[in-house]
Amino acid sequence: MHLHIPESLLDKIIEENCIKVDLTELVFKEENVRVYKTKVDFPAEVYSVDTLESRSIACRPEIVGEKFLELNRRAAIKALKALFSIIEVQEPIVLLHILRASKGYMVHEALKHLGKSFAEAYVRVKYEEGSFRDHVERKPKVVYRDYSSVPRSNIALLLADTVATGLSAVEALKDFVSRSSSTVSQLVLYGFISEKGAKKIVEYAKEVGVEEIYVFALQDLTPLAYNNYDMPLYGPDESWWSERHELKCLGAVVDIEVLREMLPYYAPGADQPGDWSERQPRLFNGYDYEPGDIKGHLEKSLHMLEKLLEISRKASWFTKEIEEIYKERMKCIRDVLRTI
């Protein structure tokens, strides 16, 4: 299904959701990959990376399992190829895996594909209680680490992860900086990343003397919902509605062309990365592999879309086209659930 979104509706969606479409500049373009320099008010070079694959992942919560990993692999190859042409990444490269979720970004496979030598480090950060869609007042804590392959030198640290509040990544970085034998001179963030989380990580990295910081956010620099978890492209904040019964709409920092191409497929208010861990078929926890809860992710996504559809009906920008997008996403999730 490909819906046509009229320009008048596009304009209304941008205005009513406060989507920031005037802060990007195209700096790299090849077939099926575009990179935009993004203006922010913190000391880092921030880019948003648009690929066909990451666009699909952001818009389609029904993409799970091996297909999810394969799309991430393809997206990472394209994105990292662009990354290495835009910035000069120093050797040696250390890829810091924040377990369990971050390996799903498939950056390790992309680095191998591009012929880059790199070391791998592992850290697991857990919230003290279960944290699905709720990072409010929960404290992250390091429960596992393995820095045995990290060289004793200046390094470029590449961190691929979903960054919502940034608390987990900061905790991981604190642990790495204090316990590894290396000095981080460059930090590169890659993944679905909120503006709030990126700022927090950049501020910490500057505090500990990291000289160069680069952020490569997939698709857009996201807003962060009231629950400090959901990272929508635009649309109603479901957690705010549940708490206050008030309609509050959020909007990302995104290029107008990327927004235009995502709109026909994206259900407003949906969390773009979704439950990243549970979309994966297998998860390395530091000791062994465990399966992701794919069915749980799909059922939660379906329930959330049902709620978001009802909330969105109250918005001035709600139209029959928007309703069709919700119905298509819900149909696709149900189709996948029937196969599990």
Side-chain angles (χ1 to χ4, degrees):
M1 180 196 80
H2 179 83
L3 280 175
H4 172 67
I5 303 294
E7 282 294 302
S8 57
L9 177 55
L10 172 69
D11 292 341
K12 191 164 192 176
I13 286 170
I14 290 169
E15 184 180 347
E16 300 285 327
N17 292 273
C18 300
I19 303 171
K20 301 171 222 30
V21 293
D22 55 353
L23 299 176
T24 59
E25 176 194 354
L26 183 66
V27 293
F28 181 93
K29 183 176 183 180
E30 280 191 1
E31 189 179 1
N32 286 328
V33 58
R34 295 175 293 194
V35 182
Y36 300 89
K37 186 85 176 280
T38 301
K39 295 176 193 165
V40 293
D41 63 350
F42 48 89
E45 286 192 27
V46 178
Y47 301 87
S48 56
V49 186
D50 170 58
T51 70
L52 186 62
E53 292 82 4
S54 51
R55 202 184 310 155
S56 295
I57 289 164
C59 294
R60 301 172 185 266
E62 69 271 15
I63 294 176
V64 291
E66 296 296 342
K67 182 179 181 183
F68 178 75
L69 292 183
E70 176 56 22
L71 289 184
N72 271 295
R73 188 186 71 83
R74 284 192 231 156
I77 289 169
K78 292 176 182 178
L80 265 66
K81 186 180 175 189
L83 184 158
F84 287 118
S85 77
I86 293 168
I87 64 174
E88 189 176 334
V89 178
Q90 297 167 4
E91 299 284 356
I93 297 169
V94 174
L95 175 58
L96 179 60
H97 295 290
I98 300 183
L99 306 176
R100 302 173 304 159
S102 71
K103 288 195 92 171
Y105 280 103
M106 301 297 276
V107 168
H108 54 300
E109 294 295 337
L111 288 169
K112 290 173 194 170
H113 180 88
L114 295 171
K116 299 290 181 182
S117 61
F118 65 102
E120 293 179 270
Y122 300 86
V123 60
R124 185 163 186 197
V125 181
K126 283 185 78 172
Y127 281 83
E128 288 169 348
E129 302 168 53
S131 63
F132 175 68
R133 297 193 71 246
D134 183 10
H135 284 174
V136 181
E137 294 178 2
R138 299 190 192 278
K139 301 270 191 297
K141 179 182 171 186
V142 171
V143 297
Y144 171 88
R145 68 183 64 83
D146 179 2
Y147 306 145
S148 58
S149 300
V150 177
R152 295 175 179 271
S153 63
N154 279 357
I155 63 162
L157 187 66
L158 180 50
L159 195 160
D161 199 19
T162 301
V163 174
T165 61
L167 292 174
S168 292
V170 167
E171 200 63 32
L173 285 171
K174 279 181 182 173
D175 195 79
F176 182 85
V177 167
S178 65
R179 291 175 181 266
S180 77
S181 52
S182 62
T183 302
V184 180
S185 56
Q186 283 185 314
L187 175 64
V188 181
L189 305 179
Y190 171 88
F192 284 96
I193 299 171
S194 81
E195 185 171 6
K196 181 179 177 180
K199 187 174 185 178
K200 187 175 287 292
I201 294 167
V202 169
E203 285 171 352
Y204 169 73
K206 281 294 176 188
E207 275 176 32
V208 295
V210 180
E211 294 167 11
E212 297 177 33
I213 306 167
Y214 304 95
V215 177
F216 283 81
L218 293 174
Q219 300 311 118
D220 49 275
L221 201 57
T222 83
L224 194 58
Y226 177 68
N227 61 5
N228 276 336
Y229 185 94
D230 293 333
M231 299 162 62
L233 172 65
Y234 82 95
D237 182 339
E238 184 277 332
S239 57
W240 180 266
W241 173 265
S242 294
E243 183 82 16
R244 308 284 183 93
H245 292 284
E246 294 171 4
L247 180 65
K248 180 182 179 183
C249 293
L250 304 171
V253 179
V254 63
D255 188 79
I256 185 73
E257 290 306 317
V258 176
L259 177 65
R260 190 176 272 118
E261 291 183 15
M262 290 178 74
L263 278 184
Y265 306 98
Y266 175 77
D271 181 30
Q272 292 176 93
D275 198 340
W276 194 262
S277 295
E278 310 310 349
R279 293 177 81 169
Q280 299 176 43
R282 59 194 168 273
L283 299 156
F284 183 58
N285 60 24
Y287 304 99
D288 54 25
Y289 284 86
E290 56 190 78
D293 183 10
I294 287 174
K295 187 178 181 186
H297 156 76
L298 292 168
E299 288 173 343
K300 287 170 183 172
S301 297
L302 182 60
H303 178 62
M304 189 53 48
L305 290 180
E306 288 166 348
K307 289 176 76 175
L308 284 166
L309 172 56
E310 293 313 308
I311 298 167
S312 291
R313 290 185 192 281
K314 305 172 196 315
S316 61
W317 43 265
F318 185 82
T319 62
K320 66 181 188 303
E321 290 94 345
I322 300 294
E323 183 169 15
E324 280 304 307
I325 295 166
Y326 277 111
K327 287 183 174 177
E328 176 68 13
R329 292 280 66 79
M330 290 190 280
K331 176 187 178 297
C332 289
I333 292 173
R334 291 189 187 103
D335 288 347
V336 177
L337 276 169
R338 275 194 286 271
T339 69
I340 294 175

